[in-house]
Amino acid sequence: MKIDVRVLTQVAEYLGNYVYLLIDPRTMSPFYVGKGTGTRLAAHGIEAETLSASDDETPVERSRKIAVIHDIRSVGLEPEVWILRHGMGSEYTHVEAAAIDLLSSFLTQSSSRMTPLSHLAALTNERRESARGHGIETLSNIVAEFGAPDLQPNVPQILLITLKPWVDLEEVSPGGTVRSGYGFRTEWLNSTDRAAYANELGDSVRCWWKLSQSRVEEHGIDQVVAVHRGVTRGLFRIIPDSWEHDAGSGRRGFMVDPVLEGPLFDRVIGKYGYRTPTKKRGDISTLNYWPRPL
């Protein structure tokens, strides 16, 4: 995986100490659990990190890992790298050991649709959010996020809505519907599943905001964009005449339709999303207009 040095340095700083899985793309099953550090990643690169031996890796273990990687590459494929946990201290060694024990004790079941957290229903647990920001992600998604190009101003006026980590909270939404929560789920980081979660992401975008309906309509804004961690994640069209006002909070909401293709989608979302402009120091606003100024 060839990555720009600048992007690789940013990814390394973001990961810190981490534990990763190597996934066989032919079966979508893990075949190796490893650990690494951001400094080593920055110095040697991603490929060297997965191919070289860690301090406690035995020659037999390394030989087995390399054999599987070469077997995968013999059919023109590459192993996927999933980051299990990152941003840890010395406990990353224990996390690696626990993952090895777990995967060594239970048969892993392959699936044609296998992405991080795509099978939450397989466990009776609810998703634990104590690992917010440090949970499982594919390395390709992390690299794509840091390598996202800047959002350009060659678009009609749109509303950017920044979503924080997911919060479970049922509440009535515009149109009399009930949404299960709001924010951004970590499993939505996988852009290849964008259509599958579009409606749920739309529920997060459409309410409830301290927002001027007249300002939005006066400037002809009829598209909103979901933003998470500074990158655009979804484009939605505001359904005309769907605005509602919550008298108790003074906030407003509306109904939306997801936009998954077209010229505006290509310029605002594209394959991996676009990086939104850096906010000024102290700016914690959730709502921003683009292009600026309005």
Side-chain angles (χ1 to χ4, degrees), residues 44-185:
H44 301 288
I46 291 172
E47 184 172 289
E49 177 79 351
T50 57
L51 289 178
S52 59
S54 61
D55 293 339
D56 56 356
E57 186 179 62
T58 68
V60 172
E61 181 181 359
R62 171 174 165 73
S63 177
R64 289 174 178 172
K65 177 182 68 174
I66 297 300
V68 175
I69 292 175
H70 287 169
D71 193 35
I72 292 171
R73 289 177 172 172
S74 70
V75 294
L77 299 173
E78 285 290 328
E80 293 187 11
V81 184
W82 291 14
I83 305 299
L84 184 60
R85 280 292 184 276
H86 65 276
M88 295 181 287
S90 60
E91 74 275 10
Y92 77 134
T93 296
H94 301 297
V95 173
E96 178 198 35
I100 292 172
D101 285 352
L102 183 65
L103 292 174
S104 299
S105 300
F106 298 93
L107 291 174
T108 56
Q109 184 175 0
S110 62
S111 169
S112 58
R113 180 181 181 271
M114 186 71 76
T115 58
L117 305 178
S118 61
H119 296 286
L120 287 172
L123 295 177
T124 56
N125 304 82
E126 289 190 0
R127 172 77 176 125
R128 290 188 174 89
E129 292 301 329
S130 59
R132 287 183 181 180
H134 299 278
I136 188 168
E137 298 179 38
T138 64
L139 184 58
S140 59
N141 281 345
I142 295 173
V143 170
E145 180 173 306
F146 280 97
D150 291 337
L151 181 63
Q152 298 299 311
N154 60 337
V155 296
Q157 286 288 335
I158 54 178
L159 176 62
L160 306 178
I161 299 180
T162 298
L163 301 178
K164 296 180 180 179
W166 179 262
V167 174
D168 283 312
L169 179 65
E170 287 192 357
E171 58 182 354
V172 178
S173 304
T177 59
V178 177
R179 65 178 183 180
S180 60
Y182 60 90
F184 194 90
R185 294 183 183 272

Side-chain angles (χ1 to χ4, degrees), residues 114-115 141 188-197 271-272:
M114 186 71 76
T115 58
N141 281 345
W188 295 346
L189 288 169
N190 187 6
S191 60
T192 59
D193 288 339
R194 192 175 281 137
Y197 60 71
K271 188 173 183 180
Y272 296 113

